[in-house]
Amino acid sequence: MSMDKEILQDFLPEATELLENAQTEALSLENHPDDTQAIAALFRAFHTLKGGAGFLEAVQMVEWCHHLEDLLDKVRSGKLRFNSQMSDVVLQGLDVIQGMLEELRQGEYPSAGPADLGKTIQAMASGSYSSAADDPPPAQVEQDHAQPSTQPQNSTSDEVRADPGADRDAAILYVEQKPQKDGSPGIFLQQETEASAEHACSAGASDLITEEEFEPCLDQLQAGEKNTANASADVSESPAKTASEAPVAEPPAAKKAIQPVTVGHPAENAESTLRVESARLDAVMNQVGELVLLRNRFAAAVQGLSQEDEEMARIVREMDLTVNDMQDTVMRLRMQPCKRLFQQLPRVVRDVSRQLGKQVDLVIEGEDVEIDKKVVDALSAPLVHLVRNSMDHGIEIPAERKMLGKPETATLRVAALHLGDKVRIEVSDDGQGIDRQKVVRKAVEKALITPEQAARLSDSEAIDLIFRPGFSTNDTVTEFSGRGVGMDVVKETTHQLRGRLDVQTEPGRGTTVAMEFPLTLAVLPVLYLRLRREIYALPISAVESLLDVDPAHIHQTQGQTIYQVGNQQVVPLLDLGSILHGESLHLENEPTDGILTERGLLVVSEVLGNEDSVVKPVDFMPDQNWYQGATISGKGNVVLILDVGTLMRRSLDQSAPARSPTRSKPVVASLFGQEVA
Amino acid sequence: MDMERLMDLVDASHALNQTLAKALREIDRMALNALVLVKRQGNALAGYGVVAQAFRERAAFLKDAAEAMQALVSPLIQTQMRILEYTRMGNVYVKQMASAQEACCPSLAAMRQQWAQSTTDREAEAHALLGQLLHAVSRVQEGIADQEYVVVNGRIEAALSQVASRQLTRVSQDMGTALGKVNQAINQYRHTVEAVYHENSTRI
């Protein structure tokens, strides 16, 4: 079988834990049948198990969990009341799942659960199950591979009771699977009269089976024994058993005997992993962050020593390496493959394409690329939105595609790429692309921008409008779009994750929405810079290179200052002095350095150096500011970390009035979100 | 040292100052650029990261050594100015004594002797300062040699690197070029200082 080992490895311990909890809840419900929290928890357990089994394509397990989920759903909605018979059924159902997990652990797809129990569960769920007291409780038709997990392996005691008929005088045969005196497994037959059997039944161990079922059951038990090393089948008559000796019943329809799995003995697969509460990982990460800061301070203190101390310098270097290693290890603890992010998409594409009548071929790449857990968790919904958006707005219907000379089946590509210290996630389609004019028109219609502003927009600025809250090109609200909610969430989520969003579109050819995220959110490498007397930090991920600012390369166009980098590249120039101090740096008279970022050239007084820092949130800032947070430098100073994207955006906004004939008083600077004229 | 030689030294010091300031800043920026490149590649370029960091540290050492060297230039020039001044004053008394001819004037002789002694003292001081300057120049040259060694290591790391090899090779080449400029400037300066030193030594 070709089971996804990685998912299986994650699923098994999780499922074991779910089963443990479910069992506790089921037992609790026996005493408190109206405990809604327990019912909900039990329902969720089956639901989660079903989902996990679905990813593994364990069809039988999915089906089994579905029956139980259905039953619990009825209980949850108040259509049925939880009773003891249900409790039996649920517990046996859990045992069946436990057996199925064991099969999965052995690398096999689970076989079907016991049909009778399945029918009973379904009958209960549908409300057609007869709960007469004289009916044999469903608990007693249990499959042999569904033994209670709490039963120790070496005392497995599979017993079935053969009921030869209604004749009370006829002998009743018990088949018992239990260890022999020497400890090796064995099968025992015992005969007793109806009277003594009734006694056993009254003790809750009445596994009544028909005469026809007896022989196959015995065969199966023997077959199971043959699979056991050094097993021997010792069939003998024994005196009638007492009720206290009667072991737990076993179902008659078992296909094979499987050793039960005890929770305390996970198989090798599960032992290689350890599930840890994410809060603990977060705590470790925070502590490593503090260690990083301390390392920086120590290094700075040693560097500041008046006399060079080779020994201290060596300790600093070694400490640096050790902390880096530790940081790397902790970072990896939180890394998860993008597969977790992408695994929901095939279903989304399938459902949406059917509903929209579009043919879409989903191509997923880079499932193994790993990224911080926080990104995986946070990006799930935005990614689904991007995919749905692409299918709704980008991809044409087959007839239209055919008319345009495109393949009727569109290609939707979702890819994760590892780019140095970043991971890039792309959603691209070969649809119609984004119509710039339409976007601008809609934005004006929705009063997101004025016609004057619309006239000034560059292509990329126009496309960026799709990320404005409330923007939608759909006139009608559909299940997938039209509410203007979604793309702004994509942008906001990307921003919160310190990511970068980029849209490339070509009319008639398709659109690519790319999101870039730092590999880890634990530590942020920054570049320290000086603006006159103040020190700031800039994430290194935003820095392309450092360069000497040549005044001859500075030009003005449409009220905007641009800088020519090399022979081909022209980028916006942002004088940090004008933004943060309200006074531009004097290139000729003051020392200046240029920091070429992905969004433009930042002019500062001096670039001081780099350091691995830890971002501390700054919660006293207003919503509109240009800081990502703060950090503590090696010298122990609190340094604000600049957000280049916001800075550049604000800079462009400020330069806009110069281009605008309607505004006469240009904004000179803006500090902490407050505009200063 | 005559005035012309002094002006040569002043010009050379100024030129070196300009060159060093520019070149060392360029080198520091290159080292920072390399570090940015390394950081942006995650752990893939950790090896080159060590080289870039070493390059930056060496650049800082070079900057300190250059500043220490520059710090000696000003007192040296001041001393040389004093020497010129004392020599001129001494010459004044020599002329006065010549004009007095046979007349015995012990005070003039004493004054002339005093200026001559002061000149000799300053020349000794200048000699010591020149020695220190040469030593400081040597330290800068040692720094450059160390830096060249780091650049060579950087080139090796760049060649071995699986990621961004071309970029790193270019960075290393640029570092080497910038260092070459500094090396050339400091060698020229050393010649100038050595010439002054020898001239100063012969007089002493």
Side-chain angles (χ1 to χ4, degrees):
Chain A
M1 94 187 224
S2 58
M3 199 180 290
D4 191 319
K5 298 286 179 196
E6 205 174 330
I7 293 180
L8 179 66
Q9 200 176 28
D10 289 343
F11 175 66
L12 285 173
E14 186 187 2
T16 306
E17 191 178 314
L18 280 168
L19 282 180
E20 279 178 1
N21 294 338
Q23 184 162 289
T24 310
E25 302 292 358
L27 289 170
S28 158
L29 277 172
E30 261 186 338
N31 298 325
H32 310 285
D34 297 319
D35 184 345
T36 52
Q37 285 191 344
I39 291 168
L42 203 52
F43 171 80
R44 279 199 304 273
F46 288 126
H47 183 74
T48 310
L49 283 165
K50 187 174 85 170
F55 284 121
L56 289 165
E57 297 176 348
V59 182
Q60 299 293 352
M61 191 169 168
V62 170
E63 195 178 347
W64 192 257
C65 292
H66 179 73
H67 293 330
L68 288 163
E69 184 190 4
D70 200 24
L71 175 63
L72 265 297
D73 190 36
K74 296 279 168 57
V75 177
R76 194 174 62 151
S77 59
K79 290 176 184 163
L80 292 173
R81 189 167 188 271
F82 200 85
N83 57 34
S84 61
Q85 285 176 325
M86 270 186 205
S87 176
D88 287 343
V89 164
V90 168
L91 287 170
Q92 286 167 39
L94 286 170
D95 291 342
V96 172
I97 296 171
Q98 183 75 68
M100 287 175 168
L101 282 180
E102 177 54 27
E103 286 180 275
L104 282 172
R105 195 166 278 148
Q106 304 300 327
E108 293 171 10
Y109 280 114
S111 49
D116 289 352
L117 184 59
K119 282 176 186 167
T120 306
I121 296 168
Q122 288 176 69
M124 276 188 173
S126 65
S128 61
Y129 179 71
S130 168
S131 58
D134 54 344
D135 282 355
Q140 291 156 8
V141 284
E142 193 179 358
Q143 192 178 9
D144 67 346
H145 78 256
Q147 291 196 46
S149 59
T150 50
Q151 195 167 356
Q153 186 172 336
N154 62 3
S155 65
T156 300
S157 180
D158 298 337
E159 186 183 341
V160 290
R161 181 178 166 205
D163 184 2
D167 188 352
R168 290 180 63 83
D169 294 325
I172 296 172
L173 278 177
Y174 283 90
V175 183
E176 186 181 7
Q177 186 182 13
K178 65 180 183 181
Q180 298 181 86
K181 285 177 182 174
D182 60 357
S184 61
I187 296 176
F188 296 89
L189 279 182
Q190 61 187 54
Q191 189 174 24
E192 60 182 56
T193 61
E194 182 67 19
S196 61
E198 275 179 0
H199 184 60
C201 285
S202 66
S206 60
D207 291 332
L208 288 174
I209 59 169
T210 61
E211 199 169 4
E212 291 76 25
E213 288 170 330
F214 172 71
E215 285 299 327
C217 182
L218 182 60
D219 289 345
Q220 281 157 5
L221 281 171
Q222 284 179 320
E225 283 303 300
K226 281 173 191 169
N227 290 338
T228 311
N230 303 321
S232 64
D234 187 359
V235 182
S236 62
E237 287 196 353
S238 65
K241 286 169 64 76
T242 61
S244 61
E245 288 172 322
V248 179
E250 287 303 316
K255 290 192 296 184
K256 58 181 181 179
I258 294 181
Q259 298 299 320
V261 182
T262 55
V263 172
H265 288 81
E268 280 182 14
N269 264 351
E271 281 172 355
S272 63
T273 60
L274 180 67
R275 297 182 73 227
V276 180
E277 218 179 324
S278 61
R280 293 190 187 189
L281 287 182
D282 291 343
V284 173
M285 195 175 75
N286 286 338
Q287 284 158 7
V288 169
E290 293 301 323
L291 190 63
V292 167
L293 292 179
L294 206 59
R295 184 265 319 259
N296 293 345
R297 290 189 66 181
F298 181 60
V302 170
Q303 204 172 17
L305 289 176
S306 54
Q307 223 171 358
E308 200 172 315
D309 189 327
E310 187 54 38
E311 181 65 14
M312 288 292 272
R314 199 167 56 82
I315 291 171
V316 167
R317 279 197 295 273
E318 287 177 12
M319 190 178 174
D320 190 41
L321 291 172
T322 308
V323 172
N324 280 348
D325 285 349
M326 188 184 286
Q327 182 188 316
D328 190 51
T329 307
V330 172
M331 183 185 90
R332 287 186 188 286
L333 284 178
R334 291 179 55 86
M335 300 286 264
Q336 291 195 318
C338 286
K339 179 185 271 187
R340 289 178 180 276
L341 194 58
F342 296 162
Q343 63 193 7
Q344 58 187 335
L345 300 180
R347 180 70 189 274
V348 172
V349 171
R350 175 185 164 275
D351 292 351
V352 177
S353 59
R354 282 186 183 184
Q355 290 175 54
L356 293 174
K358 295 178 178 178
Q359 293 171 15
V360 181
D361 192 6
L362 175 67
V363 178
I364 292 179
E365 294 170 11
E367 283 184 318
D368 296 333
V369 173
E370 290 190 327
I371 196 164
D372 197 289
K373 181 182 180 296
K374 192 174 174 184
V375 177
V376 173
D377 292 345
L379 212 58
S380 178
L383 193 64
V384 168
H385 181 83
L386 280 176
V387 165
R388 292 170 78 158
N389 203 62
S390 178
M391 293 179 72
D392 194 18
H393 295 287
I395 292 171
E396 310 92 336
I397 57 171
E400 193 181 338
R401 289 180 65 86
K402 194 176 179 182
M403 203 172 67
L404 293 165
K406 291 180 177 181
E408 288 184 37
T409 302
T411 302
L412 180 63
R413 179 175 163 273
V414 180
L417 299 97
H418 194 176
L419 300 172
D421 62 342
K422 288 181 183 175
V423 169
R424 184 180 171 94
I425 293 172
E426 290 179 352
V427 177
S428 51
D429 64 61
D430 59 352
Q432 58 191 354
I434 300 173
D435 184 345
R436 180 197 187 282
Q437 299 301 330
K438 189 177 176 184
V439 168
V440 173
R441 196 171 60 246
K442 286 286 174 186
V444 174
E445 280 174 20
K446 289 176 184 290
L448 296 174
I449 53 168
T450 63
E452 290 78 18
Q453 286 173 322
R456 290 197 308 268
L457 290 175
S458 68
D459 283 352
S460 63
E461 286 168 342
I463 300 298
D464 273 351
L465 289 170
I466 64 171
F467 296 109
R468 292 269 182 109
F471 180 85
S472 174
T473 53
N474 269 13
D475 294 322
T476 53
V477 175
T478 69
E479 186 185 343
F480 309 108
S481 57
R483 295 185 191 280
V485 178
M487 291 304 268
D488 61 320
V489 175
V490 173
K491 187 182 182 182
E492 185 56 29
T493 308
T494 310
H495 183 71
Q496 281 171 2
L497 296 169
R498 289 190 226 144
R500 179 182 167 224
L501 193 62
D502 181 42
V503 182
Q504 297 289 328
T505 186
E506 200 175 339
R509 301 291 293 271
T511 303
T512 297
V513 179
M515 295 168 286
E516 281 184 7
F517 301 99
L519 211 53
T520 175
L521 301 175
V523 171
L524 182 72
V526 295
L527 194 69
Y528 286 117
L529 56 98
R530 186 174 59 80
L531 178 65
R532 299 196 172 100
R533 289 183 179 181
E534 292 167 8
I535 310 288
Y536 296 92
L538 197 66
I540 277 190
S541 57
V543 179
E544 296 276 334
S545 64
L546 310 174
L547 48 87
D548 190 21
V549 182
D550 184 353
H553 288 189
I554 299 173
H555 306 283
Q556 294 282 335
T557 173
Q558 293 181 320
Q560 189 180 331
T561 311
I562 56 170
Y563 189 84
Q564 187 184 347
V565 184
N567 293 327
Q568 293 177 334
Q569 197 182 1
V570 176
V571 295
L573 183 144
L574 172 63
D575 186 328
L576 202 60
S578 70
I579 288 282
L580 299 185
H581 290 174
E583 187 186 344
S584 300
L585 290 165
H586 303 287
L587 291 177
E588 307 290 350
N589 305 327
E590 287 183 85
T592 51
D593 266 339
I595 304 173
L596 186 62
T597 72
E598 53 206 0
R599 292 176 186 268
L601 181 72
L602 210 60
V603 181
V604 301
S605 297
E606 189 185 3
V607 177
L608 299 173
N610 67 307
E611 206 170 68
D612 284 348
S613 73
V614 178
V615 182
K616 304 285 182 190
V618 183
D619 48 12
F620 54 83
M621 293 278 188
D623 289 340
Q624 296 282 317
N625 68 72
W626 34 58
Y627 302 108
Q628 284 192 10
T631 187
I632 299 170
S633 72
K635 290 179 180 170
N637 299 320
V638 175
V639 177
L640 290 166
I641 303 169
L642 298 168
D643 182 344
V644 181
T646 311
L647 273 171
M648 283 293 175
R649 213 165 28 250
R650 295 292 285 274
S651 167
L652 292 175
D653 286 349
Q654 284 185 15
S655 61
R659 289 180 275 165
S660 166
T662 56
R663 253 183 105 164
S664 56
K665 191 177 181 186
V667 174
V668 176
S670 177
L671 191 63
F672 299 109
Q674 304 293 315
E675 286 190 340
V676 180
Chain B
M1 193 198 304
D2 57 17
M3 196 64 189
E4 193 181 345
R5 184 66 82 188
L6 179 63
M7 288 314 294
D8 283 349
L9 183 62
V10 170
D11 289 345
S13 295
H14 181 71
L16 180 69
N17 202 10
Q18 295 291 314
T19 308
L20 279 185
K22 196 175 172 189
L24 290 177
R25 199 164 170 214
E26 198 179 342
I27 284 172
D28 190 51
R29 188 182 295 120
M30 281 174 188
L32 267 172
N33 259 326
L35 282 168
V36 168
L37 182 64
V38 165
K39 279 287 171 193
R40 291 197 60 172
Q41 293 293 333
N43 279 338
L45 296 178
Y48 198 87
V50 174
V51 172
Q53 184 60 39
F55 193 83
R56 190 144 196 260
E57 284 168 10
R58 291 288 94 198
F61 168 81
L62 209 53
K63 196 177 171 188
D64 289 346
E67 278 173 7
M69 181 183 76
Q70 295 292 340
L72 292 167
V73 174
S74 179
L76 177 65
I77 290 170
Q78 280 180 17
T79 309
Q80 290 292 355
M81 293 296 284
R82 292 268 179 270
I83 292 169
L84 288 174
E85 183 188 351
Y86 297 164
T87 307
R88 189 171 58 81
M89 292 301 285
N91 289 341
V92 167
Y93 284 100
V94 169
K95 282 179 185 169
Q96 284 181 355
M97 284 174 69
S99 62
Q101 293 184 345
E102 275 81 39
C104 182
C105 189
S107 62
L108 280 178
M111 287 299 288
R112 189 198 65 80
Q113 184 60 35
Q114 199 176 338
W115 285 118
Q117 185 57 47
S118 292
T119 304
T120 307
D121 290 348
R122 291 291 168 272
E123 279 177 344
E125 195 179 314
H127 189 72
L129 279 168
L130 279 167
Q132 286 176 36
L133 184 59
L134 275 174
H135 180 69
V137 169
S138 297
R139 268 179 67 79
V140 174
Q141 286 180 314
E142 280 169 22
I144 291 169
D146 280 354
Q147 194 72 299
E148 280 173 340
Y149 176 71
V150 175
V151 169
V152 170
N153 274 324
R155 283 183 178 162
I156 293 168
E157 277 290 338
L160 294 175
S161 173
Q162 303 282 332
V163 185
S165 182
R166 273 177 61 187
Q167 274 174 287
L168 293 179
T169 303
R170 193 177 165 186
V171 168
S172 298
Q173 279 176 352
D174 289 347
M175 284 176 174
T177 307
L179 208 56
K181 282 181 194 168
V182 177
N183 201 17
Q184 195 180 354
I186 200 77
N187 282 340
Q188 278 180 359
Y189 186 66
R190 187 180 182 95
H191 288 312
T192 308
V193 177
E194 277 178 343
V196 175
Y197 183 76
H198 288 309
E199 187 185 305
N200 188 276
S201 301
T202 51
R203 294 204 35 192
I204 289 172

